[in-house]
Amino acid sequence: MKMIQAIALSFVLGAAATAHAEQSVQRTDLIKNDIDVPGHEVVQVRVDLAPGVLAPNHSHPGEEVAFVLEGTLEYQLEGRQPVTLKAGQSLFIPSGVVHSAKNVGSGKASELATYIVRKGEALVVPAK
């Protein structure tokens, strides 16, 4: 019986670790709406990152304005020096520029990402 309990516990702990890893970057879609620019839309997303987590290199099919809601995030834009932002600070990321964001603080970090993007394209394009 103890062997069965140990196996069951290992499954529960393994599932909890997997769930934690999947939630280390959490995206919450807030709004998606057409705008007056033909073929474009606005998309707004909340992104939460656990401590030490890196959102790997990617780009977007349009501009992004990243506003740090809480914590400390380090942004690395291709061809530029890294910039570290704290709650209340924002950053403009031009269309197609490869970038990453890392939570460099000790607690959760969150950003409000607002995109003006080409309609019908993938919002996040992983870098090659």
Side-chain angles (χ1 to χ4, degrees):
M1 189 63 159
K2 288 190 182 211
M3 180 61 119
I4 292 172
Q5 289 173 336
I7 292 170
L9 180 60
S10 69
F11 282 131
V12 169
L13 292 176
T18 300
H20 176 70
E22 290 172 0
Q23 292 182 5
S24 50
V25 176
Q26 182 177 8
R27 297 179 56 89
T28 305
D29 295 336
L30 301 173
I31 190 170
K32 183 177 186 176
N33 206 81
D34 290 344
I35 60 173
D36 287 342
V37 177
H40 288 74
E41 63 188 354
V42 63
V43 178
Q44 196 167 58
V45 176
R46 179 184 174 116
V47 181
D48 298 297
L49 293 94
V53 170
L54 172 71
N57 283 338
H58 63 281
S59 65
H60 307 285
E63 289 79 18
E64 174 185 0
V65 176
F67 177 78
V68 179
L69 296 168
E70 67 177 295
T72 306
L73 291 166
E74 180 183 85
Y75 295 89
Q76 176 66 61
L77 278 66
E78 186 175 53
R80 300 186 191 177
Q81 292 295 315
V83 60
T84 301
L85 302 179
K86 295 184 180 200
Q89 297 180 305
S90 59
L91 174 70
F92 177 78
I93 303 170
S95 178
V97 171
V98 173
H99 61 282
S100 64
K102 182 176 183 179
N103 180 349
V104 293
S106 59
K108 180 179 85 169
S110 302
E111 75 168 16
L112 179 64
T114 304
Y115 309 93
I116 303 296
V117 293
R118 291 184 298 278
K119 193 172 179 174
E121 295 189 25
L123 181 62
V124 178
V125 180
K128 297 180 186 207

